[in-house]
Amino acid sequence: MVYSNLPSWLIIPKRFNIAVMLFMACLMSYMMRVNLSINIIAMVKSTDANSTEELPDYGPRYDWSQSDQAMLLGAFFYGYMITSLPAGMLAENFGGKRVAGYSCLFAGILTALTPLAAAWDKWAVWALRFGIGFLTGVVYPCCHNLVSKWSPPDEKGKFVASLMGGTFGTVITWPISGVIIENMGWDWAFYMVGIFVVVVVAVWFIIVDDSPAQHSTISIKEREYIEKSLGDTVSNKKRFPPYKALIVSLPFWSLLLLHYGSMWGLFFLITATPKFLSEVLGFNLSSAGFLSSLPHLARLICAFGFGSVADLIRRKNWLSVTKMRKAFCLPSHIIPGILLIILAYFGKDPYVCVAIMTISLGFNGAATASNLQNSQDLAPNYAGTLYGIINCVGTTPGIFSPLIVAAFTEENNTIDQWHYIFMIGAAAYIVPALIYWIFGSGKIQKWNELDTSSSKEEIVNTKL
């Protein structure tokens, strides 16, 4: 090895590099997902017929109604939902490296073409957004597949927290886009994202491999450590997912609902927060972009904190995995839901609104120790498939929440209309958590086995 003569503390483990690139893959995915949420504010004419204020010149403005804007914001999620479902199976059979890498590359190209599509027709933008969603729908299931191959069990929390790169993508995209729009025009807010994605994808193909056994520069010591820690819970054999077993699995269904609730809160804030801060609370674009990113920054920081605590609990055996997952539902779902109820009734001051949304989504960072990690518990062999299914269903809030916002704000876009929107979000957080407390599990399920005729060597250890 090139680094064999270096002190051990100077040698960076290859799994750390993999975790960094998982972070970057999710970051790219979210940059392409959320940029339209703030860019569209600079792309449209005023929908207020009584307004006489002249809008800043950030580039061409289009006559898109509130319903048109909701349709365009939701287009991404229609495409995303389609490929989320088979993505895990694609990663398990063709490798997460290639499936995620090429998908991000082509999605980055489509992102850079968005200004050209907007000049043509709103339906061209819809088609492009659908295509970007279709391509990036595979990213998270692929990442979960790679986590299942690279992460020792007592490092799982930090590995899953690395998937919060998507949250960081939101954190940096909105304020940077606001600055780019005000100084260069909204078209460059699309071009810069496209360029960034192409560069990162090139690095992705250099660093990432589908498993430690396939990595050309990993040390024998690290490879054996990872493989020994995973034992026989993960196999590299190609296989068909156990869909029939999933249909009758209560732990899986409770996980699906828990993930849905978390995604409702997240996607609502992604698609609606810039609009709420700009049009209802009156912040300018750069301020709206910065303030909109604060809840996601809080979620990112808290995610690593909660993930590390979960790893410590598992390493010390303080709680069973099942009890730990259910315990973390309190900060990941219950508390954020309660805070949205408080926001609905007391969120009259702009800065109070921002503070409550920030704290709420910060607590949701505990999802790294609840819904975001539970697919790894139930079936390590099919972690990508499970996450693909729950993410497919969990994508629908990205479609529904802009439509709900548009329905409540079509005639009047004031804080009073947003009261009902926040209450819906609170229910979406709390109810799934209550169901998960009853039916959820952290045990490896029997259907994690490759098939019913598996030999004794292939049967997984279900002791947790």
Side-chain angles (χ1 to χ4, degrees):
M1 294 293 295
V2 177
Y3 305 111
S4 58
N5 295 324
L6 291 176
S8 59
W9 58 271
L10 282 178
I11 300 175
I12 299 174
K14 298 302 178 183
R15 63 186 185 279
F16 175 82
N17 295 339
I18 298 297
V20 170
M21 292 314 300
L22 293 177
F23 182 93
M24 295 303 295
C26 297
L27 183 151
M28 290 188 293
S29 173
Y30 263 73
M31 288 183 76
M32 293 182 283
R33 178 185 303 197
V34 307
N35 63 348
L36 186 64
S37 296
I38 190 166
N39 294 358
I40 200 170
I41 299 172
M43 297 170 68
V44 298
K45 298 178 181 178
S46 175
T47 56
D48 186 355
N50 299 319
S51 176
T52 58
E53 182 180 355
E54 185 176 348
L55 295 173
D57 182 15
Y58 298 135
R61 287 187 178 269
Y62 304 103
D63 191 16
W64 296 341
S65 67
Q66 293 280 14
S67 296
D68 291 334
Q69 294 174 51
M71 174 191 70
L72 295 175
L73 289 171
F76 173 96
F77 298 97
Y78 284 103
Y80 188 90
M81 184 170 56
I82 293 172
T83 47
S84 289
L85 198 56
M89 185 171 63
L90 291 173
E92 287 152 9
N93 288 279
F94 298 104
K97 171 184 178 177
R98 288 183 293 276
V99 175
Y102 286 116
S103 294
C104 284
L105 175 62
F106 292 122
I109 294 170
L110 292 183
T111 298
L113 292 175
T114 304
L116 180 62
W120 185 14
D121 187 74
K122 66 184 178 186
W123 288 107
V125 178
W126 190 96
L128 238 60
R129 292 294 298 174
F130 177 92
I132 294 168
F134 184 88
L135 289 164
T136 57
V138 304
V139 172
Y140 274 83
C142 286
C143 288
H144 274 268
N145 172 262
L146 290 167
V147 169
S148 72
K149 303 290 181 62
W150 279 92
S151 173
D154 61 0
E155 297 178 10
K156 197 82 73 177
K158 291 185 282 292
F159 254 87
V160 173
S162 74
L163 306 187
M164 286 290 168
T167 298
F168 188 65
T170 303
V171 168
I172 64 172
T173 300
W174 282 344
I176 291 176
S177 290
V179 173
I180 292 174
I181 290 168
E182 291 184 343
N183 290 276
M184 302 173 67
W186 60 258
D187 54 347
W188 275 99
F190 290 106
Y191 298 146
M192 296 300 288
V193 170
I195 294 169
F196 177 79
V197 168
V198 171
V199 172
V200 174
V201 167
V203 179
W204 168 273
F205 278 113
I206 294 171
I207 292 178
V208 176
D209 274 301
D210 289 319
S211 69
Q214 295 172 270
H215 201 287
S216 60
T217 61
I218 191 171
S219 68
I220 296 175
K221 181 179 179 181
E222 183 181 4
R223 188 188 73 191
E224 290 179 345
Y225 167 70
I226 296 171
E227 292 176 346
K228 183 178 179 179
S229 69
L230 293 175
D232 55 3
T233 62
V234 177
S235 170
N236 291 321
K237 293 182 180 180
K238 295 183 179 181
R239 54 205 173 267
F240 191 78
Y243 291 120
K244 184 177 179 180
L246 291 178
I247 294 174
V248 296
S249 173
L250 287 177
F252 171 72
W253 281 102
S254 59
L255 167 60
L256 187 150
L257 292 174
L258 190 70
H259 188 72
Y260 184 88
S262 181
M263 291 298 99
W264 184 282
L266 178 62
F267 288 154
F268 159 68
L269 288 176
I270 285 175
T271 57
T273 302
K275 185 180 185 68
F276 176 69
L277 294 179
S278 177
E279 298 180 3
V280 179
L281 301 185
F283 292 103
N284 61 34
L285 267 180
S286 56
S287 296
F290 172 73
L291 294 173
S292 297
S293 71
L294 288 180
H296 300 275
L297 179 60
R299 186 174 189 254
L300 172 68
I301 294 171
C302 291
F304 281 97
F306 284 119
S308 297
V309 171
D311 285 344
L312 178 63
I313 292 172
R314 190 161 187 175
R315 191 161 52 248
K316 299 292 186 179
N317 291 316
W318 289 338
L319 290 172
S320 69
V321 178
T322 298
K323 290 180 179 178
M324 181 176 67
R325 296 286 174 254
K326 292 181 178 181
F328 275 100
C329 287
L330 179 64
S332 70
H333 286 72
I334 302 296
I335 292 176
I338 292 172
L339 287 169
L340 285 186
I341 294 173
I342 294 172
L343 179 61
Y345 284 98
F346 301 103
K348 303 297 182 181
D349 181 88
Y351 293 100
V352 170
C353 286
V354 173
I356 294 175
M357 286 191 291
T358 300
I359 297 171
S360 175
L361 203 59
F363 272 107
N364 183 246
T368 55
S370 58
N371 58 284
L372 291 179
Q373 198 172 152
N374 196 213
S375 60
Q376 302 279 338
D377 303 325
L378 299 180
N381 272 322
Y382 303 103
T385 291
L386 262 63
Y387 192 82
I389 296 171
I390 66 173
N391 210 36
C392 174
V393 178
T395 296
T396 57
I399 300 170
F400 297 146
S401 58
L403 296 176
I404 289 174
V405 171
F408 278 104
T409 61
E410 188 71 40
E411 295 183 4
N412 294 297
N413 191 8
T414 67
I415 191 68
D416 293 328
Q417 281 72 44
W418 284 79
H419 169 92
Y420 302 102
I421 298 169
F422 292 135
M423 291 299 291
I424 292 171
Y429 266 134
I430 294 172
V431 174
L434 300 178
I435 295 172
Y436 186 83
W437 277 345
I438 299 172
F439 299 110
S441 176
K443 292 184 178 181
I444 296 179
Q445 301 299 294
K446 185 177 181 181
W447 37 266
N448 180 61
E449 301 171 14
L450 296 185
D451 54 57
T452 57
S453 62
S454 295
S455 64
K456 291 182 179 180
E457 288 77 13
E458 293 175 326
I459 296 177
V460 298
N461 178 12
T462 58
K463 182 179 179 181
L464 289 176

